[in-house]
Amino acid sequence: MDRVQIVHDNFLRRLATGDFPPGKPPAGPLEPAEALKLYRAQVTSRALDIQSRAMQKAGQGFYTIGSSGHEGMAAVAHALRVDDIAFLHYRDAAFQLARADQAGQSGMMHDMLLSFACSSDDPTSGGRHKVLGSKPLMIPPQTSTIASHLPKALGAAYSLGLARRRAPEHRALPKDGIAMVSFGDASVNHSTAQGTINAAGWTSVQGAPLPLLMVCEDNGIGISTKTPEGWITASLKHRPGLRYFAANGLDLFESFAVASEAADYVRRQRKPAILHLSMVRLYGHAGADVATSYLPRAQVEAEEANDPLLHAARLLVEAGAASAAELVQIYEETLKEVAEEAARVATRPHLQTAQDVMSSLIPPVRDCAATNGPDPQTRAAAFGSDVAQMDSPQPMSRIINWALHDLMLTHPETLIMGEDVGRKGGVYGVTQKLQARFGPDRVIDTLLDEQSILGLAIGTAHNGFLPMPEIQFLAYLHNAEDQLRGEAATLPFFSRGQWTNPMVLRIAGLGYQKGFGGHFHNDNSLAVLRDIPGLVIACPSTGAEAACMLRECHRLAREEQRVCVFVEPIALYPMRDLHAPDDGAWMTRYPAPDQRAALGEVGVHGEGTDVAIVTYGNGHYLSRQAQQRLTQDGIKARVIDLRWLAPLPEAALLEAIAPCTHVLIVDECRRTGGQAEALMTLLAENGRNATRYTAEDSFIATGPAYAATLPSRDGIIAAVKALV
């Protein structure tokens, strides 16, 4: 028999006979009338779960992971304020319903049914996903199924302390607010959860304000894998820097009392805490899941006997808030109301075209206050002795450092965060002096955890800051790429552009470091970034170009709310010479602070028409070397520096190669998955033939063979001559 029906029948039968599960009497600060409101939210959540399965069977709904057993989260919502940002576990429908009631917002049940039906009328995602979320309720839409939302919750909490000291223009969270994040017991085992819990404790021990409430909803199982008894308590109770609270999540009165105590601690002390709630899971994991196929029937029935609605009913009757008959009436009327509303929702429109679906990939432009930058005296004081060197050519690393200085001077909401970016100034010195000049609140030395670094960036962006996180090496990004793919880039998409987390992620990357590091420090693959919809990927190759492109990325993030990745070729950081020792031909002067390189603009070097060499990064450097040799051999080449790898600057590129007879693509990334694949396709679709010269499909070796698998100057010359 269907477990949903069994739970339903058991509830009505036991309520009618007063056969309640045992428990403590109602106690604590929760008023009976308020408890009855929470019961209504619980019942609506249950009715939505039941209806979601009916909708799926009728082909009208597309999501059946429900909240049954976790209805106690309504009490947690009641213990918080509506303006406390909440990053929710996917079983928290009762939380959202209770918060809507708290805010006096009607129609939440209707909105959630629209989400079940994936209707384009859904006010949160516009029909793109079934999500919990609401802009008015300060609940960012969440599609994470494990724990990938925890790092950004930590970032949002950290931003609350920063905003007290320096409020950003687009501040969204209240001065005395807290951040809340919820997750399941199985999620605690995920590296993302462990990293966040560790980072929260680490930050707290450092004495930094971090008003973060982490709620673990412990139902004892993850899909079919049981959580060992006592595991969550043992894992979470004694973490350094974290205060631990625990409550019976089946008891509305106890849950509210303990959640209120925990929230009050976090709000007053500005320190993180863990709230551990014991719960049950009803109906299995999702609609297609049959719990009795992997659990003993007796255990499933024992969980069903502990139905939180039965516990709530007992407490309400004992508190004198309602009679059993009145509670049954609320339950049955709610089921009827939800079913009737679902029938109406089934007729609402859906997304139809690719354009409909993609319309929220790119966030909306927002209004930003105009700024002319600092006055000359302030700027001179910030740069110190560096000012005297700005009129002379400099290597890329120095110019990027100056560009960061100017951006931080001009835009006080700009933050830099990462491993060693502060006191040390970064592995290659690119962030030198920034912390001394702008302070540790704006140049933040983080713990060594890339997930936490990107989560910090996403979360601070939620509160109006403009983060510029740094990942030390491109290969290190793979520890945390889901923070871009599954969180940062998807947020506008799943919220119809209502929520954004703009940032400029700086990554030291690519190959050609002589004899250093091997594949961890020489990583020539950008494939994991190139296919993320909406992401901007920039790759400069000269200092002046880097400054101008970094400013454009900052503008795109600040004004257009884009997520930008700025890939800095490590081997070109110190590069001075181009053709001969001491010629200084690769160094550039620092461009004026108002100069930018627009998104979609390419660099064209030379006017030759025999061959166009299309490249970027280190390939640009090598191609310019090859260009001189080719000229000496009577071959007239022009070098086209792409600059922007996503979206590809298609129009500018096609215009730049138009006069040329031949086209050679020089790609320092691997042959498989590299930029050359997309470029070859683009040119073929536009009637142009091209040849590509790429890196081999190999990792990079340490030692003398560091460049053996990569394009070379002589290889470019040979490829051009083979063409011409």
Side-chain angles (χ1 to χ4, degrees), residues 233-308:
T233 301
S235 177
L236 300 181
K237 189 172 184 178
H238 301 292
R239 301 295 283 256
L242 302 177
R243 179 80 176 269
Y244 175 83
F245 298 84
N248 176 9
L250 305 178
D251 185 326
L252 270 180
F253 287 80
E254 180 180 327
S255 294
F256 175 74
V258 177
S260 297
E261 183 185 359
D264 183 62
Y265 168 82
V266 172
R267 200 180 309 278
R268 284 188 298 102
Q269 300 296 325
R270 316 306 287 171
K271 289 182 177 294
I274 291 173
L275 173 58
H276 177 198
L277 296 177
S278 55
M279 295 179 165
V280 297
R281 189 190 73 183
L282 303 179
Y283 308 164
H285 176 68
D289 187 42
V290 180
T292 51
S293 66
Y294 51 82
L295 291 175
R297 181 176 296 275
Q299 182 176 339
V300 173
E301 291 174 345
E303 296 283 89
E304 293 170 349
N306 252 334
D307 183 348

Side-chain angles (χ1 to χ4, degrees), residues 42 100 111 207 277 288 305 349 557 605 644:
Q42 292 183 306
D111 291 348
L277 296 177
H605 305 275
W644 306 99

Side-chain angles (χ1 to χ4, degrees), residues 169-170 359-369 492 496-500 502 555-562:
E169 176 188 357
H170 297 287
S359 62
S360 62
L361 273 175
I362 308 301
V365 175
R366 66 180 173 187
D367 292 331
C368 294
R496 299 188 305 139
Q498 298 172 87
W499 293 89
T500 60
R555 186 199 68 78
L556 288 165
R558 179 172 181 260
E559 298 178 8
E560 301 185 18
Q561 307 191 84
R562 301 294 295 272

Side-chain angles (χ1 to χ4, degrees), residues 5 32 53 64 89 139 183 222 252 418 465 532 547 567 573 648 722:
Q5 187 65 44
R53 286 160 167 76
T64 57
H89 183 37
I139 302 174
F183 49 94
L252 270 180
F465 289 98
I532 299 178
V567 181
Y573 275 154
L648 280 173

